[in-house]
Structure formats: structure tokens, C-alpha cells
Amino acid sequence: MGSSEGSRVRSPTQEAQKQYGVTRPISTAGPANADLRKTAVLEKFLVDSGLHESEEEAAKIERVLECIKEIVKDWVRQLTRLKGYSDRMVEVANAVIFTFGSYRLGIHGPGADLDTLCIGPSYVNREKDFFVILQNILAEREEVTELQPIPDAHVPVMKFKFNGVSIDLLYASISMLVIPEDLDIADVSVLHNVDEPTVRSLNGCRVADQILKLVPNVEHFRTTLRCIRFWAKRRGIYSNVTGFLGGVNWALLVARVCQLYPNAVPSMLVSRFFRVYTLWRWPNPVMLCETEEHELGFPVWDPRKYPRDRTHRMPIITPAYPCMNSSYNVLSSTLRVMMEQFQFGNKICEEIDLNKAQWSALFEPYLFFESYKSFLQVDVVAADADDLLSWKGWVGSRLRQLTLKIERDTREKLQCHPYPHEYSDTSKQGCHCAYFMGLQRKQGEAVQEGQPFDLRSTIDEFKHSVNMYMFWRPGMEISVSYVRRRQIPLYVFREGHRRTQSPRATSEHHAEKSPGEDGEARGSGSSERRLRRKRVSDGLQVESPEKRPSLGPAKRDSISAEALNRASQVDRENSLSMGSRRAKGCSAFFSFPTVKTPTATSCRPNSTLGPTVT
């Protein structure tokens, strides 16, 4: 890292270093003076970027938590009385609130969601008592806005704002008649006789506690995680629901790097983070500790035992029983995007280590609309703001399924990049938002005319699944259309106009650019002729809608030994530096060389309606 081994700060217990994790560390080297200086600069950058809460914001969250605690306690007492229990039971009836996620890990930032878990007695259920009675209680309070229940999520949740603080509230009913105030959630007995959604709800807190116990230096972990989360959001890959990674996933990845470099400071850990995950051989799992079975009998992630676990693309295993894959949502397409971003981060960190770049370069926003030539645009419309809140939440949660269906129906030859940001066209009547997905042929696939990817049935299947929404109301509509880069609506650009592609965006972009790729014919002619025009330069052909062709039919860390040896050698020798217009309802027939989708029409619900781990 630019200085001799003798100038490094040595830990007094470095020779008898405790082993963290399932393997020995890659390096136990401490920081050089240059690393300490880079860490100070990084920490100042994070503070200047507004990633730390003020004292006033922290105090406000404490007040909100106290209010929620009182609300759920009163709720449980009311239910205890309504269910016919004795006055004594009503008096001792209780519910407790735990936090998890960024707040419990100690890295909560301004405006971030506050993840909370309510634990109640066995006779208070989730389906009616939580999602009906408590929801009605919250809806009547003036402090509560944007109330959005999601009972059918993988982890059922109620989302709302309380005095402006965003809350994600889970519920777990455990096998106790009276919940003690000092309930030990780490005790595995809390999992006795509960269902799997309850286990998933409880494990948010249990996993956060385990992570903090399994890292060598909690403060270094927190600073590094704050940095990586900020980077992931800037690069458009922070979203569990669309197939990327969420908060717990990033925390586990950072914690593993902390285990592999136990004496490193944050500037070193950030650099090693990108080095490690650029070299990682997925789908081998990231694990902080060995998985363990228990007499309670919940399934524990094990690809040798469960065939479904072998299909996971990017397994990141939680450390609390029952150990699960926290990143089961990752798809082939989203894994590809994340690997490209890891490589980008590694390249920038190499430049930073050579003093050729500043930390700000690592956090440059990803220029999504400059990185693809073709897109799917998903427009979501509702009658009012409350309807749009619930409707877009549902549609957004199904975008991963659209990516999965495209992968399946094109045999992964058409790559899809769902972008986890929403955009709003305020000029539209009613309430509106739009999501976008970048499309490109898989690299190395030859352009062959006459072999179309037909996405019409894929889109129809997606819209059908979306329109099964149980809370559908009149005015809730969805349309899916194909757009070229030049047709991207102006409201997605903050500047109000399309940006020219920057040199860095060009160098980052994974697809080959063809000459004249965005050129438009300037001659006169009908829009239909323009739709029919063949784009030979990028293998893209847009056809008229009347043409309807037939529809087409391990358990150890795994960076390669050589790579680990090289990385270890580097650390020991300290010598290597770290690197609208919308398509106006037109037909969405397009191809790679020919891909066809249905016409972008709104759709209302019908009333009847992997690789082996080694």
C-alpha cells in the first residue's frame, strides 16, 4: 500500500490472532500510515455526504419508538380483553418492540427506514389481529401517513410513516402467553412452535446481533458498511426486491471481508471488499460461521440436502439458526450487473491506492440510461396518491418476476437489467410512476435473422400475475412498452434533457457500441415506415404491430486458491495497489435481432382472475 512493512501499526496480539469465520484470514497485516490517512479522508467524505444522523434526528427516532411501543401494548391489552381473558391477564398483557437492520447495526442514516419487530403473545395472530385490527388503529392516528400493509410478502410487513419517520413493522407471535420486557431474542427457544414467516421475522434481529459478534472490530465494520451501502445505492444495485442485494446482504458481505482482514482499517477494507468479490467464484457461499442443525427441525441452507438450494446464484448465508440464504432473489441478470459494478469499484480503488483518484470517484452515480440502447418501460397509474402507493409497491415487487420470465423464455440470451428507481411524470392525469429495464443481447451471441425472441406471452404472463393484486381498485392500470434510448421520456432526467454519454460511462458499458447507434433517419416518411426500418448497426429491428408470428417455445469460501495466494502475497509484501416522449403506445415489437412484445396497452384485472454448489 505504498510503504514498508516496518511502518505498519502492529497489533500487540497479532501473533495470537483469534480466527473469525470459517477459514483463516487472508492477511493479518495492520494499516500503514498512508492507510490511516486514507481512512481519515474517507470518514470525512462520509460525514460531508450526510450519511450520519444528527442528534436531533436520533432523538426524534427514540420518541417515535416510544410511541409505537405504547400503541402495540394498548393493542394487545384490547385484544386480550376482547378474547375473553381475565382481568389479571389483561393487566399483564404485553408486546415488545425490537429494532433490526441499519438501526440495530449502528449505521442508521438520515431518512432511512426504521426496521422494527413487534413480538406478541401466542393468542394474537398476524392475519387478523395485526393486519386488520392494528392496521385500523394506526390508520386512525394523525401521526401515521402512507400506511401500506403487505401481508403476502416473503416477510409480511406493514409500512408507514410516523411523524415523518419511515417505519417497516413486522410481527411475530411466539409461544408465550405473557411477553416479558426483557425477552432474550437470541435464545433459540423463541422459535419453538412458530411458522416459517415468524422465523423470518424474528431472524432480522437475531442475524444483526450475530453479525456484530462475529466481526473483529465493530467500528471498522460500521464505517466500511456505511461506505459500501452508499456506493451500492449510487451504482443502482441496492434493492433486494428487484433481484439485487438489500441491507442485510451487504452487511454480511462486509462482515466476511472484515473476518478475512481482521486488522485492516476501513480504507483497506473497502479496497479489499472489491478485490475479494471481483475474484469470488459464485455460487459458492459467503458464510460468517458454520451452519448448525437443531432439534426444532427448521430447514437449514444445505445444497447437498436440498436441491432448491443448488439453484441459488449468489448465496449469502445468515449466521443465526436456522441459517438461510439471504440473497435468494438474485438472478443471472442481476448477478452479472453486480459483478460489473464490483469490477468498477475494484478499478477505482486501485486508482485511489496509487493516488490517481479521490474517494468521490468511487461514488459516481451509475448512468443507467446511457448504458443501454433498448429498454422496457413499465408505467403504473392510479386514481389517487394512496392507491398509487400500494399499487406501485405491488408492481415493483413483481419486477423481479418479469426479469426471471425474460431469462427463462429467452434461455438467458436476452439480458435484462431492472433499475431499482422509480420516475414520475407529473404532467399525466392522475398519479403515475414508471420503472425501466435495460435490455441487451448476451455477449458472444451471434445476430441471426429469423430467430426472434418473442416476449409477448412473457409480458402477458407478467401483467396477468400483477393484476391478481387482491387490493385492486378502479383506476389502477399498468402498461409495458419497448423504448429506444432516444425515446426515453425527459422526466427521468433531473436536468430536464438527455445527457451526452460521459467517457467513464462509455468505458464502463459492457456492450459494444456500434457506429451511429443512436442515429435517426432525418428524411420524411410515415411513423409506420420508421417502425419498420431495420437497424443493422445494432442488430435491432422494429416491426409493425399487425405482424404476429407464432410464439417461440459447498460450504467454504471460494476465491480461487491462486487468487487468494496472490492477494495474501500482496498484503504481506505491501507492494500492489488497489480500481417523453414515451413510445406513445406504439407497438413494442423489437428484436435482438428480433424481440417481440405486446402493444403497450393498459390492463385491468380479470374478475376470474442453477448451478451446483461445490
PDB file of all heavy atoms in Angstrom, residues 177-207:
ATOM      1  N   LEU A 177     -47.772 -16.844  26.675  1.00  0.00           N
ATOM      2  CA  LEU A 177     -48.994 -16.110  26.974  1.00  0.00           C
ATOM      3  C   LEU A 177     -48.695 -14.691  27.429  1.00  0.00           C
ATOM      4  O   LEU A 177     -49.482 -13.775  27.182  1.00  0.00           O
ATOM      5  CB  LEU A 177     -49.804 -16.844  28.052  1.00  0.00           C
ATOM      6  CG  LEU A 177     -50.536 -18.117  27.595  1.00  0.00           C
ATOM      7  CD1 LEU A 177     -51.208 -18.793  28.777  1.00  0.00           C
ATOM      8  CD2 LEU A 177     -51.557 -17.785  26.513  1.00  0.00           C
ATOM      9  N   VAL A 178     -47.573 -14.517  28.098  1.00  0.00           N
ATOM     10  CA  VAL A 178     -47.157 -13.193  28.555  1.00  0.00           C
ATOM     11  C   VAL A 178     -45.733 -12.935  28.058  1.00  0.00           C
ATOM     12  O   VAL A 178     -44.830 -13.748  28.288  1.00  0.00           O
ATOM     13  CB  VAL A 178     -47.212 -13.082  30.090  1.00  0.00           C
ATOM     14  CG1 VAL A 178     -46.749 -11.696  30.531  1.00  0.00           C
ATOM     15  CG2 VAL A 178     -48.622 -13.358  30.604  1.00  0.00           C
ATOM     16  N   ILE A 179     -45.530 -11.819  27.392  1.00  0.00           N
ATOM     17  CA  ILE A 179     -44.223 -11.477  26.835  1.00  0.00           C
ATOM     18  C   ILE A 179     -43.459 -10.630  27.855  1.00  0.00           C
ATOM     19  O   ILE A 179     -43.903  -9.528  28.213  1.00  0.00           O
ATOM     20  CB  ILE A 179     -44.362 -10.686  25.523  1.00  0.00           C
ATOM     21  CG1 ILE A 179     -45.237 -11.447  24.529  1.00  0.00           C
ATOM     22  CG2 ILE A 179     -42.987 -10.407  24.930  1.00  0.00           C
ATOM     23  CD1 ILE A 179     -44.690 -12.791  24.110  1.00  0.00           C
ATOM     24  N   PRO A 180     -42.313 -11.114  28.351  1.00  0.00           N
ATOM     25  CA  PRO A 180     -41.539 -10.318  29.318  1.00  0.00           C
ATOM     26  C   PRO A 180     -40.847  -9.144  28.633  1.00  0.00           C
ATOM     27  O   PRO A 180     -40.478  -9.218  27.458  1.00  0.00           O
ATOM     28  CB  PRO A 180     -40.521 -11.326  29.858  1.00  0.00           C
ATOM     29  CG  PRO A 180     -40.360 -12.336  28.759  1.00  0.00           C
ATOM     30  CD  PRO A 180     -41.692 -12.428  28.079  1.00  0.00           C
ATOM     31  N   GLU A 181     -40.665  -8.063  29.379  1.00  0.00           N
ATOM     32  CA  GLU A 181     -39.987  -6.892  28.832  1.00  0.00           C
ATOM     33  C   GLU A 181     -38.542  -7.199  28.463  1.00  0.00           C
ATOM     34  O   GLU A 181     -37.995  -6.614  27.533  1.00  0.00           O
ATOM     35  CB  GLU A 181     -40.020  -5.741  29.847  1.00  0.00           C
ATOM     36  CG  GLU A 181     -41.343  -4.996  29.908  1.00  0.00           C
ATOM     37  CD  GLU A 181     -41.623  -4.210  28.632  1.00  0.00           C
ATOM     38  OE1 GLU A 181     -40.664  -3.770  27.969  1.00  0.00           O
ATOM     39  OE2 GLU A 181     -42.804  -4.046  28.297  1.00  0.00           O
ATOM     40  N   ASP A 182     -37.922  -8.125  29.206  1.00  0.00           N
ATOM     41  CA  ASP A 182     -36.509  -8.443  28.961  1.00  0.00           C
ATOM     42  C   ASP A 182     -36.360  -9.716  28.128  1.00  0.00           C
ATOM     43  O   ASP A 182     -35.407 -10.470  28.299  1.00  0.00           O
ATOM     44  CB  ASP A 182     -35.758  -8.593  30.285  1.00  0.00           C
ATOM     45  CG  ASP A 182     -36.351  -9.697  31.164  1.00  0.00           C
ATOM     46  OD1 ASP A 182     -37.445 -10.203  30.825  1.00  0.00           O
ATOM     47  OD2 ASP A 182     -35.718 -10.051  32.182  1.00  0.00           O
ATOM     48  N   LEU A 183     -37.280  -9.935  27.211  1.00  0.00           N
ATOM     49  CA  LEU A 183     -37.223 -11.127  26.359  1.00  0.00           C
ATOM     50  C   LEU A 183     -35.871 -11.226  25.656  1.00  0.00           C
ATOM     51  O   LEU A 183     -35.395 -10.261  25.047  1.00  0.00           O
ATOM     52  CB  LEU A 183     -38.340 -11.058  25.314  1.00  0.00           C
ATOM     53  CG  LEU A 183     -38.387 -12.194  24.294  1.00  0.00           C
ATOM     54  CD1 LEU A 183     -38.785 -13.502  24.963  1.00  0.00           C
ATOM     55  CD2 LEU A 183     -39.361 -11.861  23.154  1.00  0.00           C
ATOM     56  N   ASP A 184     -35.246 -12.412  25.749  1.00  0.00           N
ATOM     57  CA  ASP A 184     -33.960 -12.657  25.080  1.00  0.00           C
ATOM     58  C   ASP A 184     -34.229 -13.248  23.709  1.00  0.00           C
ATOM     59  O   ASP A 184     -34.482 -14.436  23.559  1.00  0.00           O
ATOM     60  CB  ASP A 184     -33.107 -13.619  25.924  1.00  0.00           C
ATOM     61  CG  ASP A 184     -31.739 -13.865  25.287  1.00  0.00           C
ATOM     62  OD1 ASP A 184     -31.414 -13.192  24.292  1.00  0.00           O
ATOM     63  OD2 ASP A 184     -31.005 -14.753  25.793  1.00  0.00           O
ATOM     64  N   ILE A 185     -34.165 -12.401  22.692  1.00  0.00           N
ATOM     65  CA  ILE A 185     -34.492 -12.852  21.336  1.00  0.00           C
ATOM     66  C   ILE A 185     -33.401 -13.748  20.753  1.00  0.00           C
ATOM     67  O   ILE A 185     -33.627 -14.466  19.783  1.00  0.00           O
ATOM     68  CB  ILE A 185     -34.758 -11.641  20.421  1.00  0.00           C
ATOM     69  CG1 ILE A 185     -35.528 -12.077  19.175  1.00  0.00           C
ATOM     70  CG2 ILE A 185     -33.459 -10.943  20.050  1.00  0.00           C
ATOM     71  CD1 ILE A 185     -36.030 -10.932  18.339  1.00  0.00           C
ATOM     72  N   ALA A 186     -32.209 -13.723  21.351  1.00  0.00           N
ATOM     73  CA  ALA A 186     -31.119 -14.583  20.871  1.00  0.00           C
ATOM     74  C   ALA A 186     -31.333 -16.039  21.276  1.00  0.00           C
ATOM     75  O   ALA A 186     -30.763 -16.944  20.664  1.00  0.00           O
ATOM     76  CB  ALA A 186     -29.778 -14.088  21.404  1.00  0.00           C
ATOM     77  N   ASP A 187     -32.155 -16.284  22.290  1.00  0.00           N
ATOM     78  CA  ASP A 187     -32.425 -17.639  22.756  1.00  0.00           C
ATOM     79  C   ASP A 187     -33.237 -18.380  21.705  1.00  0.00           C
ATOM     80  O   ASP A 187     -34.306 -17.916  21.283  1.00  0.00           O
ATOM     81  CB  ASP A 187     -33.186 -17.589  24.076  1.00  0.00           C
ATOM     82  CG  ASP A 187     -33.247 -18.947  24.771  1.00  0.00           C
ATOM     83  OD1 ASP A 187     -33.271 -19.973  24.063  1.00  0.00           O
ATOM     84  OD2 ASP A 187     -33.291 -18.975  26.015  1.00  0.00           O
ATOM     85  N   VAL A 188     -32.741 -19.527  21.280  1.00  0.00           N
ATOM     86  CA  VAL A 188     -33.396 -20.284  20.222  1.00  0.00           C
ATOM     87  C   VAL A 188     -34.791 -20.748  20.627  1.00  0.00           C
ATOM     88  O   VAL A 188     -35.617 -21.100  19.772  1.00  0.00           O
ATOM     89  CB  VAL A 188     -32.511 -21.486  19.805  1.00  0.00           C
ATOM     90  CG1 VAL A 188     -32.572 -22.594  20.843  1.00  0.00           C
ATOM     91  CG2 VAL A 188     -32.903 -22.013  18.430  1.00  0.00           C
ATOM     92  N   SER A 189     -35.109 -20.722  21.925  1.00  0.00           N
ATOM     93  CA  SER A 189     -36.430 -21.164  22.373  1.00  0.00           C
ATOM     94  C   SER A 189     -37.553 -20.266  21.852  1.00  0.00           C
ATOM     95  O   SER A 189     -38.715 -20.685  21.814  1.00  0.00           O
ATOM     96  CB  SER A 189     -36.481 -21.203  23.908  1.00  0.00           C
ATOM     97  OG  SER A 189     -36.331 -19.904  24.459  1.00  0.00           O
ATOM     98  N   VAL A 190     -37.233 -19.021  21.432  1.00  0.00           N
ATOM     99  CA  VAL A 190     -38.283 -18.158  20.896  1.00  0.00           C
ATOM    100  C   VAL A 190     -38.827 -18.707  19.577  1.00  0.00           C
ATOM    101  O   VAL A 190     -39.909 -18.300  19.132  1.00  0.00           O
ATOM    102  CB  VAL A 190     -37.782 -16.706  20.678  1.00  0.00           C
ATOM    103  CG1 VAL A 190     -37.318 -16.093  21.970  1.00  0.00           C
ATOM    104  CG2 VAL A 190     -36.706 -16.633  19.611  1.00  0.00           C
ATOM    105  N   LEU A 191     -38.095 -19.636  18.957  1.00  0.00           N
ATOM    106  CA  LEU A 191     -38.526 -20.224  17.686  1.00  0.00           C
ATOM    107  C   LEU A 191     -39.412 -21.452  17.883  1.00  0.00           C
ATOM    108  O   LEU A 191     -39.866 -22.046  16.897  1.00  0.00           O
ATOM    109  CB  LEU A 191     -37.304 -20.626  16.852  1.00  0.00           C
ATOM    110  CG  LEU A 191     -36.295 -19.513  16.534  1.00  0.00           C
ATOM    111  CD1 LEU A 191     -35.117 -20.081  15.754  1.00  0.00           C
ATOM    112  CD2 LEU A 191     -36.962 -18.385  15.757  1.00  0.00           C
ATOM    113  N   HIS A 192     -39.658 -21.822  19.124  1.00  0.00           N
ATOM    114  CA  HIS A 192     -40.442 -23.020  19.386  1.00  0.00           C
ATOM    115  C   HIS A 192     -41.893 -22.838  18.929  1.00  0.00           C
ATOM    116  O   HIS A 192     -42.557 -21.868  19.277  1.00  0.00           O
ATOM    117  CB  HIS A 192     -40.415 -23.357  20.882  1.00  0.00           C
ATOM    118  CG  HIS A 192     -41.228 -24.558  21.247  1.00  0.00           C
ATOM    119  ND1 HIS A 192     -40.872 -25.843  20.867  1.00  0.00           N
ATOM    120  CD2 HIS A 192     -42.392 -24.675  21.930  1.00  0.00           C
ATOM    121  CE1 HIS A 192     -41.775 -26.690  21.325  1.00  0.00           C
ATOM    122  NE2 HIS A 192     -42.716 -26.012  21.971  1.00  0.00           N
ATOM    123  N   ASN A 193     -42.363 -23.780  18.113  1.00  0.00           N
ATOM    124  CA  ASN A 193     -43.769 -23.850  17.713  1.00  0.00           C
ATOM    125  C   ASN A 193     -44.242 -22.602  16.975  1.00  0.00           C
ATOM    126  O   ASN A 193     -45.350 -22.115  17.191  1.00  0.00           O
ATOM    127  CB  ASN A 193     -44.665 -24.094  18.942  1.00  0.00           C
ATOM    128  CG  ASN A 193     -46.023 -24.655  18.542  1.00  0.00           C
ATOM    129  OD1 ASN A 193     -46.163 -25.321  17.524  1.00  0.00           O
ATOM    130  ND2 ASN A 193     -47.038 -24.366  19.347  1.00  0.00           N
ATOM    131  N   VAL A 194     -43.410 -22.066  16.078  1.00  0.00           N
ATOM    132  CA  VAL A 194     -43.818 -20.931  15.243  1.00  0.00           C
ATOM    133  C   VAL A 194     -43.682 -21.322  13.779  1.00  0.00           C
ATOM    134  O   VAL A 194     -42.970 -22.271  13.429  1.00  0.00           O
ATOM    135  CB  VAL A 194     -42.982 -19.668  15.536  1.00  0.00           C
ATOM    136  CG1 VAL A 194     -43.147 -19.247  16.987  1.00  0.00           C
ATOM    137  CG2 VAL A 194     -41.517 -19.880  15.195  1.00  0.00           C
ATOM    138  N   ASP A 195     -44.377 -20.588  12.900  1.00  0.00           N
ATOM    139  CA  ASP A 195     -44.311 -20.903  11.476  1.00  0.00           C
ATOM    140  C   ASP A 195     -43.104 -20.209  10.836  1.00  0.00           C
ATOM    141  O   ASP A 195     -42.427 -19.392  11.453  1.00  0.00           O
ATOM    142  CB  ASP A 195     -45.615 -20.520  10.775  1.00  0.00           C
ATOM    143  CG  ASP A 195     -45.949 -19.033  10.907  1.00  0.00           C
ATOM    144  OD1 ASP A 195     -45.061 -18.244  11.302  1.00  0.00           O
ATOM    145  OD2 ASP A 195     -47.096 -18.653  10.608  1.00  0.00           O
ATOM    146  N   GLU A 196     -42.857 -20.541   9.561  1.00  0.00           N
ATOM    147  CA  GLU A 196     -41.656 -20.020   8.898  1.00  0.00           C
ATOM    148  C   GLU A 196     -41.689 -18.506   8.680  1.00  0.00           C
ATOM    149  O   GLU A 196     -40.648 -17.847   8.822  1.00  0.00           O
ATOM    150  CB  GLU A 196     -41.416 -20.770   7.584  1.00  0.00           C
ATOM    151  CG  GLU A 196     -40.980 -22.212   7.816  1.00  0.00           C
ATOM    152  CD  GLU A 196     -40.310 -22.842   6.601  1.00  0.00           C
ATOM    153  OE1 GLU A 196     -39.940 -22.086   5.682  1.00  0.00           O
ATOM    154  OE2 GLU A 196     -40.164 -24.071   6.577  1.00  0.00           O
ATOM    155  N   PRO A 197     -42.838 -17.883   8.327  1.00  0.00           N
ATOM    156  CA  PRO A 197     -42.829 -16.415   8.258  1.00  0.00           C
ATOM    157  C   PRO A 197     -42.449 -15.768   9.589  1.00  0.00           C
ATOM    158  O   PRO A 197     -41.776 -14.724   9.606  1.00  0.00           O
ATOM    159  CB  PRO A 197     -44.278 -16.072   7.866  1.00  0.00           C
ATOM    160  CG  PRO A 197     -44.758 -17.278   7.117  1.00  0.00           C
ATOM    161  CD  PRO A 197     -44.114 -18.441   7.824  1.00  0.00           C
ATOM    162  N   THR A 198     -42.844 -16.392  10.692  1.00  0.00           N
ATOM    163  CA  THR A 198     -42.465 -15.857  12.003  1.00  0.00           C
ATOM    164  C   THR A 198     -40.970 -16.018  12.237  1.00  0.00           C
ATOM    165  O   THR A 198     -40.311 -15.116  12.776  1.00  0.00           O
ATOM    166  CB  THR A 198     -43.257 -16.562  13.122  1.00  0.00           C
ATOM    167  OG1 THR A 198     -44.655 -16.332  12.919  1.00  0.00           O
ATOM    168  CG2 THR A 198     -42.859 -16.036  14.492  1.00  0.00           C
ATOM    169  N   VAL A 199     -40.416 -17.156  11.826  1.00  0.00           N
ATOM    170  CA  VAL A 199     -38.969 -17.361  11.948  1.00  0.00           C
ATOM    171  C   VAL A 199     -38.220 -16.284  11.167  1.00  0.00           C
ATOM    172  O   VAL A 199     -37.254 -15.689  11.664  1.00  0.00           O
ATOM    173  CB  VAL A 199     -38.566 -18.762  11.439  1.00  0.00           C
ATOM    174  CG1 VAL A 199     -37.047 -18.899  11.386  1.00  0.00           C
ATOM    175  CG2 VAL A 199     -39.154 -19.841  12.333  1.00  0.00           C
ATOM    176  N   ARG A 200     -38.681 -16.002   9.943  1.00  0.00           N
ATOM    177  CA  ARG A 200     -38.011 -14.982   9.131  1.00  0.00           C
ATOM    178  C   ARG A 200     -38.127 -13.604   9.772  1.00  0.00           C
ATOM    179  O   ARG A 200     -37.204 -12.789   9.706  1.00  0.00           O
ATOM    180  CB  ARG A 200     -38.600 -14.988   7.717  1.00  0.00           C
ATOM    181  CG  ARG A 200     -38.250 -16.239   6.918  1.00  0.00           C
ATOM    182  CD  ARG A 200     -38.571 -16.067   5.448  1.00  0.00           C
ATOM    183  NE  ARG A 200     -40.002 -16.100   5.194  1.00  0.00           N
ATOM    184  CZ  ARG A 200     -40.689 -17.184   4.878  1.00  0.00           C
ATOM    185  NH1 ARG A 200     -40.077 -18.361   4.797  1.00  0.00           N
ATOM    186  NH2 ARG A 200     -41.988 -17.129   4.636  1.00  0.00           N
ATOM    187  N   SER A 201     -39.280 -13.344  10.397  1.00  0.00           N
ATOM    188  CA  SER A 201     -39.456 -12.052  11.071  1.00  0.00           C
ATOM    189  C   SER A 201     -38.523 -11.930  12.269  1.00  0.00           C
ATOM    190  O   SER A 201     -37.894 -10.885  12.482  1.00  0.00           O
ATOM    191  CB  SER A 201     -40.916 -11.899  11.522  1.00  0.00           C
ATOM    192  OG  SER A 201     -41.802 -11.898  10.418  1.00  0.00           O
ATOM    193  N   LEU A 202     -38.425 -12.989  13.063  1.00  0.00           N
ATOM    194  CA  LEU A 202     -37.564 -12.967  14.253  1.00  0.00           C
ATOM    195  C   LEU A 202     -36.088 -12.887  13.891  1.00  0.00           C
ATOM    196  O   LEU A 202     -35.288 -12.279  14.612  1.00  0.00           O
ATOM    197  CB  LEU A 202     -37.820 -14.213  15.095  1.00  0.00           C
ATOM    198  CG  LEU A 202     -39.169 -14.287  15.826  1.00  0.00           C
ATOM    199  CD1 LEU A 202     -39.422 -15.703  16.316  1.00  0.00           C
ATOM    200  CD2 LEU A 202     -39.200 -13.315  16.996  1.00  0.00           C
ATOM    201  N   ASN A 203     -35.728 -13.491  12.764  1.00  0.00           N
ATOM    202  CA  ASN A 203     -34.303 -13.608  12.451  1.00  0.00           C
ATOM    203  C   ASN A 203     -33.658 -12.302  12.016  1.00  0.00           C
ATOM    204  O   ASN A 203     -32.426 -12.203  11.986  1.00  0.00           O
ATOM    205  CB  ASN A 203     -34.071 -14.701  11.409  1.00  0.00           C
ATOM    206  CG  ASN A 203     -33.703 -16.020  12.058  1.00  0.00           C
ATOM    207  OD1 ASN A 203     -33.835 -16.181  13.271  1.00  0.00           O
ATOM    208  ND2 ASN A 203     -33.240 -16.964  11.261  1.00  0.00           N
ATOM    209  N   GLY A 204     -34.442 -11.273  11.683  1.00  0.00           N
ATOM    210  CA  GLY A 204     -33.833  -9.981  11.367  1.00  0.00           C
ATOM    211  C   GLY A 204     -33.012  -9.459  12.533  1.00  0.00           C
ATOM    212  O   GLY A 204     -31.867  -9.034  12.367  1.00  0.00           O
ATOM    213  N   CYS A 205     -33.589  -9.523  13.742  1.00  0.00           N
ATOM    214  CA  CYS A 205     -32.872  -9.075  14.942  1.00  0.00           C
ATOM    215  C   CYS A 205     -31.757 -10.040  15.306  1.00  0.00           C
ATOM    216  O   CYS A 205     -30.647  -9.623  15.676  1.00  0.00           O
ATOM    217  CB  CYS A 205     -33.846  -8.950  16.109  1.00  0.00           C
ATOM    218  SG  CYS A 205     -35.264  -7.892  15.791  1.00  0.00           S
ATOM    219  N   ARG A 206     -32.038 -11.332  15.217  1.00  0.00           N
ATOM    220  CA  ARG A 206     -31.060 -12.342  15.623  1.00  0.00           C
ATOM    221  C   ARG A 206     -29.819 -12.297  14.727  1.00  0.00           C
ATOM    222  O   ARG A 206     -28.691 -12.438  15.196  1.00  0.00           O
ATOM    223  CB  ARG A 206     -31.710 -13.728  15.583  1.00  0.00           C
ATOM    224  CG  ARG A 206     -32.769 -13.916  16.667  1.00  0.00           C
ATOM    225  CD  ARG A 206     -33.738 -15.061  16.342  1.00  0.00           C
ATOM    226  NE  ARG A 206     -33.050 -16.274  15.937  1.00  0.00           N
ATOM    227  CZ  ARG A 206     -32.485 -17.149  16.771  1.00  0.00           C
ATOM    228  NH1 ARG A 206     -32.521 -16.915  18.077  1.00  0.00           N
ATOM    229  NH2 ARG A 206     -31.896 -18.233  16.312  1.00  0.00           N
ATOM    230  N   VAL A 207     -30.021 -12.081  13.432  1.00  0.00           N
ATOM    231  CA  VAL A 207     -28.902 -12.016  12.496  1.00  0.00           C
ATOM    232  C   VAL A 207     -28.056 -10.777  12.763  1.00  0.00           C
ATOM    233  O   VAL A 207     -26.813 -10.844  12.770  1.00  0.00           O
ATOM    234  CB  VAL A 207     -29.410 -12.026  11.039  1.00  0.00           C
ATOM    235  CG1 VAL A 207     -28.308 -11.612  10.063  1.00  0.00           C
ATOM    236  CG2 VAL A 207     -29.946 -13.412  10.673  1.00  0.00           C
TER     237      VAL A 207
END
